[in-house]
Amino acid sequence: MRADRTRERTVVLNQLLLGVVALLSATIAFAMEAVAVPELVLGGLLLVAVVTGIALAVPWNRIHAPWSALLPICDILAIALLRESNPSAGFSLLWIFPAMWIAGSFGLLGLVVVNVLTNGVYWLTVALDPAQSLTPVIILIPMTIVAVSTTAYLASKRAAAQRALLDAQARLLARAVERSRRQEDLVTEVLDAVDFGVIRLGIRGEESVRNEAHARMQRMLAPGGAEQAAFAEDGLTELGVEQTPLARARRGETFDGDLVWYGKPGKGRRALSVTSRALESAGGERVGGILVSRDVTDEVMALRAREDLVASVSHELRTPLTAILGYLELVLDGDDLSAASRRGLEVAERNAARLLDIIADLLTVSADHHGGVRLSIDQRVARVDEIVHSSVEALLPRAAERQITLDDAGIEQVTAFIDPLRIRQVVDNIIGNAVKYNVDQGRVEVGVTADMDHAWIVVRDDGTGISAEEIPRLFERFFRADAVRKTTTHGSGLGLSISREIARAHGGEITVQSELGSGSTFLIRLPLREKGRRS
Ligand code: ADP
């Protein structure tokens, strides 16, 4: 840190100024022959010169401050000598300089002392001088010195207050800077501690922040600095440079959990789930973006393994089950069965048929792997109301078992461009759920209607309902709500997932509104006409 030389500067400047003015006034006095006793002037100037020499030579900053007051005091005496050479030459005005110096540097005490001193010396010289005539000028000089020194004192006080304010502000600023630096460190530490990669993109797409996990992922994905090719969620479609998550985020795109594979198909490739958010300033201007990526290879692999297992087990089960059903049918076709055996065999056949349905569902959802049954849609113009009516009819016995009312009064006649078998599957599943997840003596309302472009099937129940947290996951494969898992109600968690796939394959959609404890409403939207065809 640089040494504070303020006091040194004040001393030297004040003394030099006084020295120069004293020398000039003495020279002028000599020139105008206004000096009665030249020895006194020379003595005074000599004293000022000595004081100036001392002012320049002494390191005032290292010396206790009051010592520097000796200099202006000596100056006051030197000026007294100058004044004595000719009292009317006006040398006494020079006292203004040491008076300002002391009053400005040594506070109230300085102000009092310097005025007592200058006045003392002044009135002493006045008293000792018999030739001094009593004119108004006599009191004007000490009054001027008092006024000027008071002004200097007040100005120095104000300057000190301003300096204190500035110091306080500087301290506050330093503290704020320190706090924001600590906060930045904290954010960096937190970002480095998490196991997902984070990149902050600037307005021009430059990476302004990247955390430790991102750097680790980068090293893993680009061994030896060689970037690996990126592939879409299917793992096969290669993404062009403009389609990579980073390029999309740089363009300001927002996306959620997009799955991207890095590395060619085969061993060692990694799957990342990438999310991008555009960042906006308070004024709504785009100021960059955030890209978050998580390594989900293990999760994706585990999911695939589960689907593979499901697919292969389903395959293996289908053949013996078909045989069982075939034989049951054969036996049931015979006439030599007692009524009790027939009832037993019919139950067995119904359950085996149900098992086959479940297996068909399992194979549908694992169609992408292991050559399962692909979801094929065969659309034509068909009556939606008839499909819904027959589904309701088929479910009546099951509803009756638990005294659930199935109200189909809201079904209007509607024809749409659909695959009747697939839509029956969807409707069976959704009305079946409305009965299955209802309470005893509950109520299910089913309706069909249409607007200009779509057929709408509404299924409303007043059953258990679904919690807000579970609704977004409802259409996931194998998803079953917590409330349902705890009961003995059986289900595979596949029905809704397949139903939505079927609706979407038609160009339609299934949506749900539900509240835990008060029931659910499922809405199925289907196209009225073939795409591109007008009515
Ligand atoms: P499954 O009924 O075979 O379990 P679904 O895919 O048809 O599979 O349904 C998934 C889950 O959604 C169900 O397990 C249940 O928790 C919940 N669910 C579906 N429909 C309803 C409904 N109408 N009321 C309450 N919960 C429902």
Side-chain angles (χ1 to χ4, degrees):
M1 214 165 84
R2 279 179 57 198
D4 178 15
R5 305 177 74 90
T6 325
R7 196 168 343 126
E8 220 162 87
R9 253 200 318 270
T10 312
V11 169
V12 170
L13 278 178
N14 275 309
Q15 185 56 40
L16 278 180
L17 184 64
L18 187 136
V20 169
V21 176
L23 189 63
L24 272 177
S25 10
T27 313
I28 292 167
F30 273 121
M32 295 174 79
E33 291 173 358
V35 179
V37 195
E39 293 79 6
L40 285 176
V41 175
L42 290 175
L45 283 182
L46 187 67
L47 187 51
V48 170
V50 170
V51 173
T52 309
I54 295 172
L56 289 169
V58 175
W60 296 103
N61 286 319
R62 281 190 246 142
I63 289 174
H64 202 44
W67 288 109
S68 64
L70 286 177
L71 301 185
I73 290 171
C74 290
D75 287 330
I76 288 170
L77 298 177
I79 294 163
L81 290 178
L82 294 180
R83 184 187 137 78
E84 272 308 289
S85 73
N86 181 1
S88 59
F91 282 117
S92 34
L93 273 178
L94 289 177
W95 273 324
I96 283 175
F97 291 96
M100 279 173 62
W101 179 353
I102 295 182
S105 304
F106 299 97
L108 191 59
L109 182 68
L111 177 69
V112 173
V113 168
V114 82
N115 277 297
V116 168
L117 200 67
T118 45
N119 272 286
V121 176
Y122 177 75
W123 291 114
L124 194 69
T125 53
V126 169
L128 292 178
D129 184 4
Q132 183 76 53
S133 54
L134 267 177
T135 56
V137 181
I138 286 190
I139 54 159
L140 208 59
I141 287 173
M143 268 171 57
T144 310
I145 293 173
V146 170
V148 170
S149 59
T150 308
T151 310
Y153 162 70
L154 293 175
S156 82
K157 251 184 87 166
R158 203 166 41 239
Q162 272 170 355
R163 214 169 24 244
L165 189 71
L166 278 179
D167 284 352
Q169 280 175 344
R171 273 197 302 279
L172 272 179
L173 191 69
R175 233 176 294 151
V177 168
E178 173 62 14
R179 207 166 34 236
S180 94
R181 203 180 54 75
R182 270 207 306 273
Q183 241 156 21
E184 203 180 302
D185 286 352
L186 190 76
V187 171
T188 313
E189 279 165 22
V190 170
L191 278 182
D192 282 347
V194 295
D195 66 348
F196 45 83
V198 180
I199 312 178
R200 159 86 160 87
L201 296 172
I203 183 68
R204 279 176 296 280
E206 75 282 5
E207 293 177 19
S208 55
V209 175
R210 44 164 56 202
N211 73 341
E212 187 49 44
H214 175 80
R216 260 199 318 273
M217 243 180 250
Q218 199 70 27
R219 282 195 293 275
M220 195 167 63
L221 296 180
E227 283 271 336
Q228 301 222 50
F231 292 84
E233 185 168 1
D234 63 8
L236 299 170
T237 320
E238 188 164 349
L239 297 175
V241 269
E242 286 304 307
Q243 264 93 51
T244 62
L246 188 59
R248 289 170 59 201
R250 282 193 171 128
R251 288 199 297 271
E253 274 184 45
T254 290
F255 45 88
D256 246 314
D258 279 13
L259 193 81
V260 181
W261 287 94
Y262 284 91
K264 293 217 158 56
K267 256 189 164 290
R269 67 191 325 215
R270 310 293 303 177
L272 297 193
S273 163
V274 193
T275 295
S276 161
R277 287 277 175 281
L279 293 178
E280 287 181 354
S281 69
E285 255 172 75
R286 205 169 82 76
V287 290
I290 291 270
L291 194 73
V292 178
S293 38
R294 200 161 59 84
D295 189 337
V296 289
T297 317
D298 295 342
E299 286 162 56
V300 172
M301 289 312 208
L303 270 179
R304 292 245 162 124
R306 183 178 77 178
E307 283 175 6
D308 287 352
L309 180 75
V310 167
S312 52
V313 169
S314 315
H315 253 301
E316 296 305 318
L317 287 178
R318 196 160 54 163
T319 322
L321 201 58
T322 319
I324 292 171
L325 268 170
Y327 278 103
L328 280 173
E329 238 169 76
L330 217 60
V331 178
L332 280 167
D333 278 351
D335 303 324
D336 48 349
L337 284 175
S338 69
S341 314
R342 180 170 291 279
R343 264 200 310 281
L345 285 174
E346 275 169 357
V347 172
E349 192 199 25
R350 260 206 316 279
N351 281 289
R354 164 104 183 102
L355 265 183
L356 205 59
D357 282 348
I358 293 176
I359 287 171
D361 279 355
L362 287 171
L363 285 172
T364 307
V365 296
S366 53
D368 293 345
H369 322 283
H370 279 270
V373 184
R374 272 195 178 277
L375 192 67
S376 58
I377 302 285
D378 183 12
Q379 273 167 282
R380 53 197 164 82
V381 177
R383 290 272 296 273
V384 181
D385 53 309
E386 281 175 4
I387 296 171
V388 179
H389 265 306
S390 48
S391 172
V392 169
E393 235 161 73
L395 283 161
L396 277 174
R398 227 198 296 165
E401 276 171 27
R402 295 169 53 209
Q403 285 115 48
I404 292 172
T405 316
L406 262 176
D407 175 0
D408 59 0
I411 300 181
E412 296 167 17
Q413 186 180 323
V414 173
T415 46
F417 187 67
I418 52 172
D419 179 333
L421 286 180
R422 288 297 192 186
I423 293 307
R424 171 69 194 263
Q425 194 181 344
V426 172
V427 175
D428 277 351
N429 180 48
I430 298 219
I431 306 179
N433 279 350
V435 172
K436 193 159 56 166
Y437 301 114
N438 214 318
V439 287
D440 289 353
Q441 285 139 26
R443 185 179 173 78
V444 177
E445 288 169 22
V446 183
V448 174
T449 187
D451 60 17
M452 298 287 283
D453 298 312
H454 299 106
W456 296 90
I457 306 171
V458 190
V459 180
R460 182 177 301 127
D461 68 69
D462 53 6
T464 54
I466 305 143
S467 69
E469 302 83 62
E470 289 181 312
I471 285 181
R473 302 196 49 209
L474 205 63
F475 293 92
E476 280 178 20
R477 293 171 190 181
F478 302 108
F479 175 77
R480 300 185 64 217
D482 269 347
V484 167
R485 283 160 188 266
K486 290 177 203 134
T487 66
T488 48
T489 317
H490 297 293
S492 59
L494 290 173
L496 285 181
S497 145
I498 293 174
S499 298
R500 175 127 96 176
E501 258 180 69
I502 293 174
R504 285 184 174 173
H506 278 80
E509 186 55 288
I510 302 184
T511 49
V512 61
Q513 280 178 349
S514 185
E515 206 176 300
L516 201 59
S518 51
S520 320
T521 304
F522 283 81
L523 208 55
I524 308 164
R525 194 192 74 212
L526 296 168
L528 282 188
R529 289 170 286 278
E530 197 176 344
K531 222 175 171 190
R533 179 172 290 194
R534 315 215 115 250
S535 58

